[in-house]
Amino acid sequence: MPAHATSHDDTRRTGRRLFHRANRRSARKRMMEFIELIESAPAKAVFKATRSNGGESIKLDGKPGCHVTKFSPTFSALHGEHPHLVVLDEIWHFDKDLGEALLGAAEPAQVTLGRRAQVFMVSTMGTLKSQFMNDLIAAARAGEDPGVCLIEYSMPEGADPFDPATWWKFHPALGNTITEESLQDRAIKAQDDPAKRATWLRAYCNLLTATTESLFDLSIWDEHENARAYTI
């Protein structure tokens, strides 16, 4: 998310550029929300907004180069740019080629910025097809790169995904922007609808799933499997 992500520790020397990546519709929506947030705050006096479709941005008046904008996830993204912060959103959707191309574009774009440059990758867990993200998570958990910080909120292994007590152990939004009641409603639907179970586990419990939906009710499958195993 681009909101309040910019920093200006020495804007007299150089500007700060934040580039946010999401799908086209989502990116425009996020930028418009950010613009509305800025314009409803006292900070609006020092910022200038651009709303044109495809060119949405926020700029700091009097500080050339200090701005927040979005970009499309393409193989030519970021070429010719020098962003201090690049945000890649919902990277579980990226295939390996596109994900590596985006990181490959960010690296040379930020090479002159040294320690002032950062790349944020924000996402829920994906599926077995999310190879780009899955490889990054595995490497981060193993501590292979000291320059990577992994912040993960996932359901503890072996916990009950439908028990509200479990949610309070890991869900960062619970009690802040999400209520237990709203999660309970979705959990009930996921229990009653096998197709929604995988979505619940991935999107709300932040667990890697084989697919985005289930064909069978796995709890019933397990019951029949156990019954078959003990039949003499």
Side-chain angles (χ1 to χ4, degrees):
M1 294 289 290
H4 65 267
T6 53
S7 64
H8 304 280
D9 55 347
D10 188 2
T11 51
R12 294 171 298 176
R13 177 164 55 87
T14 181
R16 294 290 184 268
R17 300 175 177 87
L18 185 157
F19 282 64
H20 176 259
R21 199 288 339 162
N23 66 62
R24 184 174 181 179
R25 181 178 299 177
S26 176
R28 174 171 172 77
K29 179 182 177 182
R30 295 291 182 269
M31 283 302 304
M32 296 305 294
E33 290 173 348
F34 185 37
I35 289 173
E36 292 173 2
L37 178 65
I38 291 293
E39 292 186 337
S40 64
K44 67 180 181 180
V46 295
F47 284 95
K48 181 179 180 180
T50 300
R51 287 183 166 79
S52 59
N53 195 359
E56 303 89 340
S57 67
I58 283 281
K59 296 182 179 180
L60 183 61
D61 276 345
K63 301 293 183 180
C66 294
H67 65 271
V68 178
T69 189
K70 64 182 180 67
F71 68 95
S72 298
T74 65
F75 286 91
S76 61
L78 298 178
H79 290 290
E81 303 289 351
H82 301 284
H84 290 76
L85 174 60
V86 174
V87 181
L88 304 178
D89 195 17
E90 293 298 345
I91 63 172
W92 73 277
H93 288 292
F94 296 179
D95 62 38
K96 193 168 182 64
D97 288 341
L98 177 57
E100 292 182 348
L102 290 171
L103 290 184
E107 183 176 347
Q110 296 181 318
V111 69
T112 61
L113 302 173
R115 293 181 178 275
R116 293 173 293 155
Q118 289 185 308
V119 175
F120 287 3
M121 289 178 277
V122 185
S123 185
T124 56
M125 289 298 289
T127 71
L128 294 179
K129 293 183 178 180
S130 307
Q131 186 179 357
F132 169 67
M133 176 177 174
N134 295 341
D135 288 349
L136 289 175
I137 294 294
R141 287 173 174 170
E144 296 178 5
D145 186 345
V148 172
C149 173
L150 174 65
I151 301 174
E152 181 176 356
Y153 299 95
S154 299
M155 188 186 78
E157 184 176 356
D160 182 354
F162 299 107
D163 183 356
T166 297
W167 311 335
W168 287 100
K169 296 178 180 179
F170 74 92
H171 204 301
L174 188 57
N176 294 307
T177 59
I178 297 178
T179 65
E180 182 177 305
E181 290 73 20
S182 64
L183 283 184
Q184 186 71 65
D185 290 341
R186 288 160 177 78
I188 292 172
K189 293 176 181 178
Q191 285 181 296
D192 294 339
D193 185 348
K196 294 180 179 179
R197 181 183 177 92
T199 297
W200 169 260
L201 295 175
R202 186 196 64 77
Y204 292 94
C205 299
N206 203 33
L207 298 179
L208 181 69
T209 60
T211 63
T212 55
E213 60 182 28
S214 299
L215 180 60
F216 303 104
D217 185 326
L218 298 183
S219 62
I220 296 177
W221 177 279
D222 290 342
E223 290 176 3
H224 283 276
E225 177 64 17
N226 293 334
R228 184 194 63 79
Y230 291 100
T231 299
I232 298 177

